[in-house]
Amino acid sequence: MAAIEGLPEIEEEEDREILNPLLPMGRVKKILKMDRDIKKVNSEALHLITLSTQLFIEFLAERSRTAAVEKKRKVIKVEHLRSAARNHPPTSDFLLDCLPKPAQAKPSASATSRPLPDDAPPPLPPGARRIDDFFSKPSAGKQGTSEDGAATAC
Amino acid sequence: MAESIHINSGQGSMNGQDHLLPIANVGKIMKQALPQGAKISKEAKETMQECASEFIAFVTAEASEKCREGKRKTINGEDVICAFKTLGLDHYADAMQGYLYKYREHVEKSEVERHHNKSLQIDITDELSTVRRGSTSDKY
């Protein structure tokens, strides 16, 4: 392939890891259109949003694993996601920095979560929702918070 | 409580699942990012679904702002990249810029393939490396 100006020359695809979109773009589009202010999104924007969401999931998963390993746990659980999100400022910002403090969190909350910074949370952009519910939802409703965290059928 | 926003089956068959990405896809992406044999609780996957939707909403809202500032009605790739910079996700911005170049090049080259509904396969290893390098640092 011809080199793109400003970027290194692209090697043959078979020599490199090929990435297909691993997320359904139709669903991504549905999600972003839940914000009524969003009218039209072109194809390239949808691709970027889809791919960056994948990168975000990877990133948070890796960080969550780090949190789990630090606590000598083999199963990545919600509390590790919480720690990972809160320990990365750009991520915690867009999650509205509303992750519960350990004292306010459910009993199963991680004790390693850092306290929230003092600065005020940014204003809510349209369509954004607070992340509180995600991390504080009762975990005992569907399955026990056993250390193995084995997936059990609901 | 708030059952409508919490996952019950997690498999997309319940009412209200449309605001989430499929748990199978999310779980697969998580597993691929982790060492083989890593275990993830079902709740963690469900929480990740919610986080991903939050990410999408937040990035898109910011991109929409950029689009509005440009007095346009259709969000484009540049709006999304600008959004990442505004949100402090610069390594995403860099990765996506590269991806955008390649996407546009691919679109120009393979118009016919797109019309045949073939999924785009675009090599973004460089961009991923950029992101992964950025993600392993603890810059604040």
Side-chain angles (χ1 to χ4, degrees):
Chain A
M1 287 195 221
I4 297 173
E5 196 176 303
L7 290 180
E9 188 160 8
I10 299 159
E11 296 174 19
E12 291 301 318
E13 283 181 331
E14 42 267 34
D15 296 333
R16 307 281 288 275
E17 181 185 300
I18 308 285
L19 196 77
N20 298 319
L22 291 178
L23 295 167
M25 287 199 288
R27 185 68 65 87
V28 173
K29 189 170 185 177
K30 249 186 215 179
I31 292 169
L32 60 88
K33 276 193 168 283
M34 287 172 62
D35 180 346
R36 283 172 298 174
D37 288 340
I38 307 296
K39 300 282 187 304
K40 287 186 177 178
V41 178
N42 77 1
S43 179
E44 64 183 26
L46 184 58
H47 265 86
L48 295 187
I49 292 168
T50 302
L51 186 69
S52 61
T53 303
Q54 178 182 329
L55 294 177
F56 168 71
I57 293 170
E58 290 178 3
F59 168 76
L60 197 53
E62 288 166 5
R63 290 260 174 154
S64 302
R65 180 185 172 258
T66 301
V69 166
E70 280 173 1
K71 296 172 66 181
K72 297 187 171 38
R73 297 286 179 257
K74 291 190 176 177
V75 180
I76 297 167
K77 299 174 69 185
V78 176
E79 60 190 82
H80 306 132
L81 249 72
R82 184 191 298 118
S83 290
R86 293 183 66 213
N87 290 341
H88 187 248
T91 301
S92 63
D93 282 348
F94 93 77
L95 292 179
L96 302 178
D97 224 356
C98 292
L99 303 171
K101 295 181 183 182
Q104 296 171 357
K106 293 293 178 182
S108 61
S110 161
T112 61
S113 302
R114 293 185 192 171
L116 296 173
D118 288 335
D119 48 320
L124 269 171
R129 292 169 289 154
R130 296 194 171 268
I131 199 72
D132 266 352
D133 290 340
F134 308 154
F135 291 107
S136 62
K137 66 181 179 180
S139 54
K142 301 186 299 292
Q143 62 190 49
T145 50
S146 62
E147 281 312 318
D148 286 336
T152 54
C154 290
Chain B
M1 74 179 190
E3 286 294 338
S4 61
I5 63 166
H6 293 312
I7 294 87
N8 291 315
S9 71
Q11 292 305 315
S13 58
M14 301 284 290
N15 186 27
Q17 292 292 306
D18 279 353
H19 72 289
L20 298 171
L21 296 166
I23 197 167
N25 300 64
V26 171
K28 182 178 179 185
I29 292 168
M30 293 178 78
K31 272 207 172 303
Q32 287 189 351
L34 300 173
Q36 202 164 23
K39 297 201 184 330
I40 308 158
S41 76
K42 186 162 182 270
E43 280 183 319
K45 289 184 199 176
E46 289 168 350
T47 303
M48 185 66 91
Q49 283 179 291
E50 302 274 9
C51 290
S53 291
E54 191 76 14
F55 178 84
I56 291 167
F58 203 60
V59 170
T60 307
E62 191 61 41
S64 176
E65 269 302 309
K66 303 296 178 196
C67 182
R68 202 173 304 146
E69 286 167 12
K71 295 188 178 11
R72 287 172 281 105
K73 291 185 177 163
T74 303
I75 297 172
N76 63 24
E78 262 95 16
D79 295 327
V80 175
I81 290 167
C82 281
F84 290 130
K85 291 178 180 165
T86 304
L87 297 173
L89 302 169
D90 290 81
H91 48 294
Y92 284 79
D94 296 337
M96 292 302 114
Q97 189 70 64
Y99 184 72
L100 187 58
Y101 282 131
K102 293 186 181 181
Y103 175 86
R104 287 175 174 168
E105 189 193 49
H106 188 98
V107 165
E108 284 168 17
K109 282 178 61 179
S110 57
E111 204 79 39
V112 173
E113 284 177 12
R114 285 180 66 225
H115 288 150
H116 284 105
N117 203 28
K118 190 172 178 177
S119 64
L120 291 174
Q121 297 189 11
I122 302 175
D123 176 15
I124 57 159
T125 310
D126 279 347
E127 289 71 35
L128 285 180
S129 299
T130 305
V131 172
R132 285 168 181 151
R133 276 198 299 276
S135 71
T136 54
S137 68
D138 285 310
K139 301 194 287 287
Y140 288 94

